[in-house]
Amino acid sequence: MPTVSLPHPARGLRRGRPDSQAIERALVRSSVDALAAGRATCRHCHRSPLVGEVVHVYGTGGRRGDEIVCELCRPLHAAEPERSVLVRSPEQAGSVRRT
């Protein structure tokens, strides 16, 4: 049987060390995705509203629930919002005020 010489016979079989930058990018990407999963975003521009910003809530009446629209995208809606809400910091959401 004739033999064929390959220029780099072990190239496909070689196990390289994992690239540390690739691992770092994958970890950062997964943590950013996990943080973004629980965050409310604007329906139009998909921007996360800032703390202290007023957002407008429109009820859709469907399965999707309420739509949040930021102050910048508010002119895109002709109808009045159901309510307008001030965005609070995550620390304030579970705090208890002393009376």
Side-chain angles (χ1 to χ4, degrees):
M1 171 176 243
T3 60
V4 178
S5 63
L6 298 174
H8 300 286
R11 176 173 281 174
L13 302 175
R14 189 177 351 155
R15 294 188 76 172
R17 291 183 10 189
D19 183 17
S20 63
Q21 289 180 347
I23 293 171
E24 182 180 352
R25 282 191 300 267
L27 288 172
V28 169
R29 188 177 300 121
S30 66
S31 64
V32 168
D33 290 343
L35 286 173
R39 187 175 297 150
T41 59
C42 176
R43 178 185 182 273
H44 298 288
C45 65
H46 307 290
R47 184 178 66 81
S48 295
L50 301 172
V51 173
E53 183 178 352
V54 175
V55 293
H56 306 283
V57 181
Y58 292 88
T60 59
R63 292 174 47 185
R64 292 189 306 177
D66 293 336
E67 291 180 349
I68 296 174
V69 177
C70 70
E71 188 69 30
L72 300 172
C73 297
R74 167 68 179 92
L76 298 175
H77 283 267
E80 290 295 317
E82 280 186 6
R83 63 187 186 277
S84 296
V85 182
L86 181 68
V87 177
R88 300 192 183 273
S89 68
E91 293 84 20
Q92 291 177 343
S95 64
V96 177
R97 290 188 182 177
R98 200 170 116 191
T99 57

